[in-house]
Every structure is written in C-alpha cells, then in structure tokens.
Amino acid sequence: MSLKITNAKRIEGLDSNVWVEFTKLAADPSVVNLGQGLPDISPPVYVKEKLSKIAAIDSLNQYTRGFGHPSLVKALACLYEKFYQNQINPNKEILVTIGAYGSLFNAIQGLIDKGDEVIIIMPFYDCYEPMVRMAGATPVFIPLRSKPVDGKRWSSSDWTLDPQELASKFNSKTKAIILNTPHNPIGKVYTKEELQVIADLCIKNDTLCISDEVYEWLVYTGNKHLKIATFPGMWERTITIGSAGKTFSVTGWKLGWSIGPNHLIKHLQTVQQNSVYTCATPLQEALAQAFWIDIKRMDDPECYFNSLPKELEVKRDRMVHLLESLGLKPIVPDGGYFIIADVSLLDADLSDMKDSNEPYDYKFVKWMTKNKKLSAIPVSAFCNEETKLQFEKFVRFCFIKKDSTLDAAEEIIKAWIRQKS
Amino acid sequence: MFRNVAAIYLHLAGLLQRKKAGTSLTRCLHQTFAMAKRLQARRLDGIDHNPWVEFSRMASEYDVVNLGQGFPDFPPPDFAVQAFQLALSSDYMLNQYTKAFGYPPLTEILASFFGKLLGQEIDPLKNVLVTVGAYGALFTAFQALVDEGDEVIIIEPFFDCYEPMTLMAGGRPVFVTLKLSPTQDGELDSASNWQLDPTELASKFTSRTKALVLNTPNNPLGKVFSEAELELVASLCQQHDVICISDEVYQWLVYDGHQHISIASLPGMWERTLTIGSAGKSFSATGWKVGWALGPDRLLKHLRTVHQNTIYHCPTQGQAAVAQSFQHEQARFGQASSYFVQLPEAVQRSRDHMVRSLQSVGLRPVIPQGSYFLIADISDFKSKMPDLPGDAEEPYDSRFVKWMIRNKGLAAIPASIFYSMPHRKHFDHYVRFCFVKDESTLQAMDEKLQRWKTELRP
C-alpha cells in the first residue's frame, strides 16, 4: 500500500466542515430549514429573464475575459464609483470570482504568506480560519462582546470590539484584518466610529483590510452600510468583496467580486489565472444586465437594492417576535439575513443526544432538527476551537425565506410553546 | 514598490487624473504610500506572467482571423443549449446553492457514464468532484496533493498552466520532452512521431516524485498516446508510487479512427489516477466552465478538502445543463447520432482543411491525431526572415506570431509558450493553430493565406 500518496500539508486539519454535516441533517424534506443561508424566495423576475435570453446567444457560451466579463466589470465600476471618491478602473481594480468565497480565497492566497498573522473577529464566517491556515498564516482572534442590555431589546449594535483589546492584537507580523459588515452571524452593521478605530489601526500598523461586504444592501431602518475603503488612507490597503448571490438572491450563480487598488488586485488576478482562470460567461452577462436595470433606478423603491431589505425587515421582525414568543432572547440584527438567539433559556432536554463532547448548540440544533423538525446552525461553528464555549448557547436562524416557510416555522414554534406550558 | 521619484510622480499624476473634483491633494498623497511590507505572497513568485493576455489583445486590435485561443466559434449543439434553457426555466431553486461537491444529477450521470468507460464502479459521492472547468480540477489536484519540495513530472510540450500550478503548490516541475522521430523527406510530420524516450522518462523519477501530469489528447501537439505509451507511464507510476494527473479534456476529439484510452482503466492505475474532464470541450460550451475530477476516494477526499476551502460550490444551472446533456449522450453512446461521434467527424474535416491550406504559404503542419490544435513548423520562415521585431529574449515563434497578426491577418499562438524556459529556444520554430472553427472562419483563413501566398517572394 502507498506510503507516499498523502495530502499536501496545507490542508492538514482542514477537512471537517460544519455545513456538510448540517445540510445533510436539514435535507429531510419534512424539516423546516432555517439553517444554511439559502434563499427559498424567487430571485427578481428580470434577473431570471436576462439569463434565459442570454443562454440563446452563441458567443456567450464560450470563454470570456479571465478577470471579469467586460460588460460586468463595467457595470460594477459604474455602480461602486457612486460610493468611492475615485473612478474605478474596471480592468485593473475589479476582479470577478467564483462567489465572494472565491474572492476571499484569491485575496488570502494572493496577499497572505506563511508566517503572517491575520486578525479575525469572532464569531466569524467559518471559512476565514481555514483559508488563513491554508495560506500558512496564523489567525489571531478577537471576540465581539456584548454590553449588558437589561430591560431593553438586545440588538446586534450591543456587540462591539474593545478598542484597546483590538489594538493589542496588532503586531509587526499582522498582514491583514478581515472585516465582515454587515456581519454574519450576528447581523451587526459597523458604525462610522467603529470603522474608524479599525482604519486607524490598519494605517498605524501598515496592515491590509479584507472587507467582506456581501450583505451590503441588507441593512434595516436606522442603519447605514459604510465602506471602510472610503475612509481616508484606506483605499490603498483594502480589498472590498461583494456577492451577486446575496445582492440578487441567486446564490447558485456563484459570482462575486473584489474591488481595490491595482497594486493589490493584480495579485488576486495572478491567483485567478492559476486557479480557475475565468468564470462562467452567460451568468456574468446576465448579471451585468440585471445590474444595469437597478443602477438606473437606485433611488426608486422598486430597485432591488431597496426593495429586498424592505421585504426582509418584515421577515426579520416576524422572526424576532416568534423567537421571543418561545421565550428566547434573540439579538435583533441591524443587517444581514440571519438572527441569533440564546437557546439555553429553553432548557431543552438533550440527554438523548449522543456525543457529549460537542458544544451545547451543536447538540441543541441536532435535537431541534430531530424532535421539532426545525433546523438552524450552531453559532459555535463560527468560533475557533478555543472559544467555542463563549458562543455555545447561541443558534443562528436564516430568515430569507418565503412566507410559507416562515408560516411552517411559526406552526412549529406555536406547538412547541403549547407543549412547554 | 516605488523605486524612484519619477515612479512616485507618475503614480501621483495618475491618481490626480482619476480622482473626482473635491478631494484634497493631501488625501491623495496619503493614499499613494501604501505598504512598506512585501505585498504579495511568495507563492506567486514567478507565476504572474500571462502570455495569453498579450496575444488575445493583439488578436482583438488587428483585423485577424483568430486561430489562437482554443474555443469553438460555432454554438454548442441544440440539445445542450436547450438543456441550459431548461435549467433556467424549470425550478427557480436552481438559482440557489446545490451540493458542494457536485449537483447530484450531474455526479450521478458522470459516475455511470464514466464508470462504463473506465470499467470501474464509480460512486457519485466518493469518486466524483465537480469543478470550475477542468482548469479548476487541475488546480484543486495540485493544491491537494503537491507539497513543498515535491517533484512533478511534466511532459513537454504541455498546456501552460501545469508549470505555474506546480510552482504555486511549492512543487518542482521536472520536464521530459516528446522528441520527434525523423520523417521521410517531403512527408508531413505526425504528432504520433513525437515520442517519449523510455530511458529518459524513467530517469526523471526520483524518491521525491509525487505526480506525473499526462495530457491525452495533448495540447498543443494533438498527440493521442497509444496503449503501449500509456503502459510505459503506468508501470513507472506504479513502480515509483506516483500519482497520475490525467488531463483528458479532448477525449472525444480523436481522428482517423484513433482511440482515446484513459490511463485509469489500465491495471493498477485507478487507485493512483485523477481523470480530469471538461464539459466545455465535450459540448463546445467553454463558457460554462464545468469540469470534473474522477478518482479513488483516498485522493478525491483531499480534493474535496481543497474545494470546500477555495470556492466551496460550483454554479448550479451550468451543472444541471451538463447533466442533461450527458443524459442525451448516454442514450446515444456510440451511435451515429451521438455528438461525441459527430463532433470529431466534423472537426476532422476542419483539421484536414487547415492542414491543406497552411501548406500553401510554406507552413508545415504536424498532423494531430486529436485535440483542438495542430502545430506548424515555421523553419522555412525562420531561415528566410530570421530578424523579426521583438523583445531582447523573445523566442522566434513569438515574434513570428506577432508579425503574422500585424501583416497577414492571422492569429495563432507560439509553441514556445508550451515549453519550459530552458527548452524554448529548441522549439521556437512552431506555432499552434486551433481548427475547431466554423467553415466561414476557415474560408476567411483561406482568403488571408491566398493573399499571403501572392506576397511571397518567388
């Protein structure tokens, strides 16, 4: 038998994946799935129509430009120039990738080296840690901490970084910090002051910022999404990542993009030309055309960038109400399409769940899926090994779901309440 | 980054031009001076160069018939286009994520289709990974299995990404060249005459050899490796416990009755081979970017780990379209109505057309048994016009291609791109042409060649 045929060291310890386990659990059609961030609402009609027309155009079935289909990078430049103070060069300052996931990979592989440190704010979208490790670098974690909220409703804005604690995480090895705003899973939308603290530290420590802004359009009343790359001194050191999947509710199109200065983007482009080379053509063209429709009506309530957050705010409020009625303390998110809640108050009887080494929330989600036919994701999946216990009482629910799905969830919760009393 | 004042000045001037009115110069200056630390990761050293960009750009700037990059300029077959349209109009949930390692109907049909071809029981969950094109499968394989210091044997000429992918994984490429056996005078050369020297190949294997990359049918040469040649490679891989990464994207594009053989079907090879395929090349839909890797679970599991930490999912609808297209082909396998039969028949005619036409101006094509490409010997031109404009170290074939684009309205790709640096000078007298083109394109090529012929010195 072979002794030599082994995996490369870069993937050592990176084989387990929370999604593979939990999506299998939720795949049972009788389970109401509020776990994975997968919309079950229909994308806007014009988005589907565009793609349908495009499939019939011959040339769009062949390779396009590797770093991004020309009409798409033009549309992205046009859209994002509205937020930045400089014009954006579509060929040199934009890269189209396989989802935002692909942009994260390209940024980390392109800019993070063995021995570098990368600051990751906890809880974190789970791929940040393995991607940093795969690049041979060391993740340095800092948790968001909640201030006490007696009486008042718990909000994602109650979760903040301690500026001194954050400053202490930077040292001469720190190559980058990964920022995610709006934040998954808490739904926090970083304020101007909070971003300024991060920006000041990046500049002072000569550090890059990888800003994951996939939920940029999904901010709720009273909040505003701000781009850290627009802060003084930050354009030159920031990669800003966006997602078609989250923008147009088409996660299966797997198109994302990175925007930044050429002296950073060119390294992401190098990774691209040595990994996937180019993304699918028809999808990029359809996305470009969908963008042009909405770019032209950004002040219109019909613009999807405005209508989707309105639609989701209603669903968010419904979820908050449902979870509260169950006796949970949800953290009301200011953005994103997830809501987390402390489930320990339910004091569920998990004694029949095997594998007592797992954190509480893993056991709870498995129990809830099996016994209540409702699935969610344990928040400790978004923590590193050492700090899982800090968030093990929290479970994440996704609310970008059609009304009938939320109705079904409501039925389950009502029955659960009756059973408790 | 900024080596002198002039560079800083130019950078600032550029910034000032681009910026909108209202922002202060002070802010601009602050933005100019970014990292003092080294920016890019070391794994990018030596792999940032992209020869394709230059040739694609030139081909679009001049009025040329583009026979360079390898993609068809005719549409995919109707059933494939319909499959895509069906994927877009049926279940709206196809707009959302599917299973990470492959859309189930696709992994299932790939398992059954290729299981038959390879004579192997293939499990759709354990032995199949769907990737972003075959390119993505290659990348995933290198990242999963090649470690710092591992050696990877690459047969020259090679599809150019194998070398940088090896380097990015920290590996060391070890090249072995296909050598031309002499032909009879006057006869056109054949790709099958380009062969590996068994002793030389054996000498390339060391205790550090992790993998060997095989590409059959071969790009750019069009060679289809024979059973005997594959047995040679197979026995060495087994003897030295080496993984075979078998790039078989052109598996249906074989001509003159030649047979494509997958090395994974040879005794002892399934357990150490990754077989890589492409929907783009199979269905003339390169823009769909759907590919796959087939292999034993003990290898695939590592590719899955890479996949879940790089892109995680592939787009759903393209996969649905490919699954449907394979259903269509499975029902017709081996029959006259199969696209996998019709396509090579049609492309063979295009190949023959191109082979005849190129000779009219003194290009000497090497007849390919497979793939999208042929290479043509330009030695006559090299002796008649040795001094073509170009950069200092630029190989002759690259200068020739640029000259041909500018002056003769034809775009091709220099063969030296497909060779390792030290060997380029030995193979700078070939250029690669793609013949998977519509009849109208080949006629346009003929017009350019006819004009060229009249311009030749007597």
Side-chain angles (χ1 to χ4, degrees), chain A residues 64-292:
Chain A
T64 183
R65 178 177 169 267
F67 302 145
H69 186 57
S71 61
L72 177 56
V73 292
K74 273 199 199 79
L76 289 168
C78 179
L79 171 64
Y80 287 105
E81 270 169 7
K82 297 176 194 293
F83 301 97
Y84 292 92
Q85 260 141 317
N86 288 335
Q87 284 193 298
I88 299 177
N89 182 314
N91 293 328
K92 296 197 167 159
E93 295 173 336
I94 300 182
L95 174 66
V96 176
T97 55
I98 306 292
Y101 214 97
S103 271
L104 286 162
F105 179 73
N106 282 25
I108 291 170
Q109 284 284 309
L111 301 169
I112 308 299
D113 226 333
K114 213 158 118 168
D116 284 346
E117 288 182 11
V118 177
I119 297 173
I120 298 177
I121 299 164
M122 233 183 30
F124 51 90
Y125 179 56
D126 70 300
C127 80
Y128 302 160
E129 181 184 0
M131 282 191 183
V132 165
R133 292 197 190 281
M134 192 169 158
T138 306
V140 171
F141 300 98
I142 176 168
L144 284 162
R145 297 180 192 281
S146 178
K147 38 176 159 347
V149 284
D150 343 273
K152 136 179 160 352
R153 219 175 210 183
W154 212 357
S155 161
S156 58
S157 58
D158 294 318
W159 291 75
T160 57
L161 292 172
D162 179 299
Q164 263 132 343
E165 188 183 5
L166 181 60
S168 76
K169 301 291 179 180
F170 282 79
N171 62 47
S172 59
K173 290 211 190 114
T174 312
K175 189 69 182 284
I177 178 169
I178 302 178
L179 173 67
N180 178 215
T181 180
H183 181 268
N184 175 6
I186 293 183
K188 177 184 175 62
V189 175
Y190 285 70
T191 64
K192 182 161 186 260
E193 293 70 31
E194 288 172 319
L195 293 175
Q196 193 61 66
V197 167
I198 295 171
D200 288 344
L201 284 166
C202 284
I203 293 166
K204 178 173 175 205
N205 292 280
D206 199 20
T207 298
L208 300 174
C209 180
I210 299 171
S211 187
D212 175 355
E213 301 183 9
V214 297
Y215 302 106
E216 60 185 307
W217 303 110
L218 306 183
V219 287
Y220 306 121
T221 309
N223 297 278
K224 188 166 154 56
H225 172 72
L226 297 170
K227 292 181 166 299
I228 198 170
T230 61
F231 284 49
M234 289 306 286
W235 165 257
E236 296 297 286
R237 60 182 67 254
T238 306
I239 296 285
T240 305
I241 294 173
S243 158
K246 309 293 192 266
T247 299
F248 286 108
S249 307
V250 287
T251 59
W253 288 28
K254 286 293 296 194
L255 284 173
W257 47 86
S258 291
I259 297 180
N262 182 247
H263 61 256
L264 296 181
I265 291 286
K266 71 183 184 189
H267 300 307
L268 279 69
Q269 291 174 334
T270 299
V271 176
Q272 180 98 333
Q273 83 197 26
N274 290 298
S275 58
V276 298
Y277 203 93
T278 182
C279 300
T281 314
L283 297 168
Q284 291 190 72
E285 176 63 27
L287 183 59
Q289 293 190 19
F291 264 122
W292 287 123

Side-chain angles (χ1 to χ4, degrees), chain A residues 4 6 8-10 15 19 61-63 101 109-110 112-113 135 174-175 236 249 251-252 254 273 276, chain B residues 31 37 39 42-43 95-96 135 143-144 146-147 169 209-210 281 284 286-289 308 311-312:
Chain A
K4 228 167 72 177
T6 54
K9 290 191 200 62
R10 69 181 59 82
D15 47 319
W19 305 105
N61 286 300
Q62 306 305 334
Y63 291 132
Y101 214 97
Q109 284 284 309
I112 308 299
D113 226 333
T174 312
K175 189 69 182 284
E236 296 297 286
S249 307
T251 59
K254 286 293 296 194
Q273 83 197 26
V276 298
Chain B
Q31 287 180 341
K37 285 179 186 139
L39 268 175
R42 281 183 294 266
R43 66 181 66 82
N95 284 293
Q96 307 306 335
Y135 213 97
Q143 287 287 307
V146 175
D147 230 330
T209 310
K210 189 72 182 279
K281 306 292 191 282
S284 307
T286 59
W288 291 9
K289 288 293 291 187
Q308 81 197 21
I311 58 153
Y312 197 19

Side-chain angles (χ1 to χ4, degrees), chain A residues 308-370:
Chain A
L308 182 61
K310 284 271 170 305
E311 185 186 341
L312 289 182
E313 189 162 344
V314 172
K315 294 179 195 282
R316 176 198 71 167
D317 294 343
R318 185 178 177 185
M319 267 319 297
V320 169
H321 177 74
L322 280 176
L323 295 172
E324 281 176 342
S325 69
L326 193 48
L328 298 180
K329 275 201 83 188
I331 297 164
V332 180
D334 290 325
Y337 50 59
F338 303 106
I339 179 166
I340 73 174
D342 181 337
V343 297
S344 62
L345 302 163
L346 279 175
D347 200 25
D349 177 8
L350 308 183
S351 52
D352 67 332
M353 299 313 298
K354 293 170 285 208
D355 200 351
S356 53
N357 281 331
E358 280 190 325
Y360 181 87
D361 53 356
Y362 273 68
K363 288 192 279 197
F364 181 87
V365 168
K366 289 179 180 173
W367 172 87
M368 186 173 69
T369 307
K370 186 170 154 212

Side-chain angles (χ1 to χ4, degrees), chain B residues 154-387:
Chain B
I154 298 175
I155 299 166
E156 297 190 287
F158 57 93
F159 179 51
D160 68 300
C161 79
Y162 304 156
E163 184 182 6
M165 284 189 183
T166 300
L167 292 172
M168 191 171 159
R172 198 171 85 77
V174 171
F175 298 99
V176 59
T177 315
L178 285 163
K179 294 218 173 56
L180 177 53
S181 314
T183 31
Q184 301 282 59
D185 267 336
E187 251 182 45
L188 277 179
D189 192 7
S190 163
S192 55
N193 286 336
W194 292 59
Q195 288 161 3
L196 289 170
D197 177 312
T199 316
E200 188 189 358
L201 178 61
S203 75
K204 301 292 181 179
F205 284 78
T206 74
S207 59
R208 300 279 356 229
T209 310
K210 189 72 182 279
L212 176 147
V213 186
L214 175 69
N215 176 217
T216 180
N218 170 280
N219 172 7
L221 196 49
K223 177 184 174 64
V224 172
F225 283 71
S226 67
E227 182 146 23
E229 288 170 317
L230 293 176
E231 278 167 354
L232 167 67
V233 171
S235 78
L236 285 165
C237 285
Q238 286 174 69
Q239 196 188 323
H240 296 274
D241 195 19
V242 162
I243 297 166
C244 182
I245 299 173
S246 187
D247 175 352
E248 303 184 14
V249 297
Y250 301 107
Q251 66 185 116
W252 313 114
L253 281 315
V254 286
Y255 316 119
D256 309 323
H258 280 85
Q259 285 289 343
H260 167 77
I261 302 167
S262 291
I263 198 172
S265 64
L266 267 50
M269 286 308 284
W270 168 257
E271 63 198 55
R272 60 180 63 255
T273 305
L274 289 170
T275 304
I276 290 173
S278 158
K281 306 292 191 282
S282 296
F283 298 108
S284 307
T286 59
W288 291 9
K289 288 293 291 187
V290 175
W292 52 84
L294 308 170
D297 188 51
R298 70 179 187 148
L299 294 179
L300 263 282
K301 71 183 184 191
H302 301 309
L303 274 73
R304 290 194 291 269
T305 300
V306 172
H307 184 87
Q308 81 197 21
N309 289 301
T310 54
I311 58 153
Y312 197 19
H313 299 88
C314 294
T316 311
Q317 286 139 329
Q319 293 186 67
V322 174
Q324 179 82 5
S325 301
F326 263 107
Q327 294 284 4
H328 180 273
E329 280 300 294
Q330 188 173 57
R332 293 161 181 73
F333 189 74
Q335 294 164 38
S337 57
S338 154
Y339 190 65
F340 297 163
V341 170
Q342 293 172 345
L343 178 67
E345 274 170 10
V347 173
Q348 180 171 321
R349 290 192 289 272
S350 303
R351 175 200 68 168
D352 295 343
H353 180 150
M354 181 179 275
V355 166
R356 281 191 305 270
S357 301
L358 291 179
Q359 290 177 75
S360 65
V361 297
L363 292 160
R364 289 179 56 77
V366 174
I367 316 244
Q369 285 72 53
S371 89
Y372 271 12
F373 310 102
L374 59 78
I375 64 172
D377 188 326
I378 55 171
S379 300
D380 281 349
F381 290 92
K382 195 176 175 193
S383 56
K384 290 186 185 132
M385 327 181 290
D387 301 311

